[in-house]
Amino acid sequence: MTEREPIEAYLEGYAEILTGVCAAGRRLTRDEREALRSRGERAAEVGLGMRDLVRAHLSAAQQILPDVPHSAVRHLLGAVEQAVDAFAEGHERAQRLAIRQEEAARREFVDDLLYGRSDLGRLAERAVRFGLLLSHAHAVAVARGPEPYDDGCAVTRAVETSLLARFGDRRILLTTKDGRLICVAPADEPEVLTHFAKQAYAATGGGQVAVGRAHPGAGGVVHSYEEALNALDLATRMDLDDPVLHAADLLVYPVLARDRQAMADLVHTVLGPLQQARGGPKPLLDTLTAYFDTGCVTAQAARRLSLSVRAMTYRLDRIHRLTGSDPGDPVQRYTLQTAVVGARLLGWPDRPL
């Protein structure tokens, strides 16, 4: 079947309608308009473009124009306007429905992909439709900002436009989930997630991005996604303000948190004596945190806490006297630093052990 033949099929009876309108000097009836809407819907469903369809409607009107009395030309023009409007309305209605169905299918796929709730073989087949080859390894990056984002918001569109302009069609999936931006990219193209992190950070006004490690298969996408989410959760608990977090750099924290009871015992034993300090343990715990975060440089830690070096030195000495552990001693420092990490993971002293 040629391109012209299916278009003509959707104009069957159209010329007769125009002729009847001109002869009676009337407008299109409700039934005629509804029939045109239905034809517009069917034309959209088979992929016929509205531009070609409008041209066909105008061409059909031109063919009967020589037989239309001069006094009826205005009726012809009015009828063509009504007909094209009704046909276009049906065409647009079908397109909106198709878009909603596509969005629903995409959302269902994303949910199944990120939660691993579907048969992996079937999921891999569906993934091809959305540009992913799940037989390959993928990594996932997750970005969060001051507000939730969805697929149609300006932030998502800005990041997507930048990714497409830079990388084109490289089997990248950009979506949203629970108000966060998510990018799934092939493991052998790490520059994609690097660019995504940069653009997401800028578009969200200084948000935070976490990048999971690359893993093979459909289950690997879930694994990488969960690593990225855990990294963001860890950043909240540990007050990590780095704009980009890599799960591979944070593996020590899940190891430390794996045995909660052992970690709680360590925090209680090593840092518990800080509760005897005037003002409670938090100021001294913040002192240790700043000291370790700055590489045990007293002057730099003092500046971070807006203290004098003398006051900083006094606090470190106070910690030594209370805990019996010297932050300046390499062996004792390791125990103290591990306990400080544990305190941040457990939320101590704000939450009881």
Side-chain angles (χ1 to χ4, degrees), residues 282-288 290-291 297-316 319:
K282 192 147 190 341
L284 296 182
L285 186 61
D286 291 342
T287 300
L288 285 173
Y291 184 66
V297 179
T298 304
Q300 189 174 344
R303 285 195 297 271
R304 178 172 293 192
L305 295 173
S306 300
L307 296 173
S308 66
V309 174
R310 182 178 179 181
M312 184 71 186
T313 302
Y314 171 80
R315 285 193 180 187
L316 292 174
I319 291 168

Side-chain angles (χ1 to χ4, degrees), residues 109-118 123 177-178 180 221-222 225-226 229:
F109 167 73
V110 168
D111 289 344
D112 291 344
L113 177 68
L114 297 181
Y115 290 134
R117 297 184 301 201
S118 178
L123 189 63
K177 184 68 178 172
D178 298 328
R180 306 181 187 95
V221 173
V222 179
Y225 173 63
E226 290 177 345
L229 288 182

Side-chain angles (χ1 to χ4, degrees), residues 43 73 76 78 82 97 100 119 135-136 227 240 253 303 318 340:
V73 169
L76 174 64
Q82 281 187 290
L97 177 60
R100 286 196 296 269
D119 173 77
S135 57
H136 298 174
E227 286 183 342
L240 303 177
Y253 296 108
R303 285 195 297 271
R318 180 65 172 155
V340 168

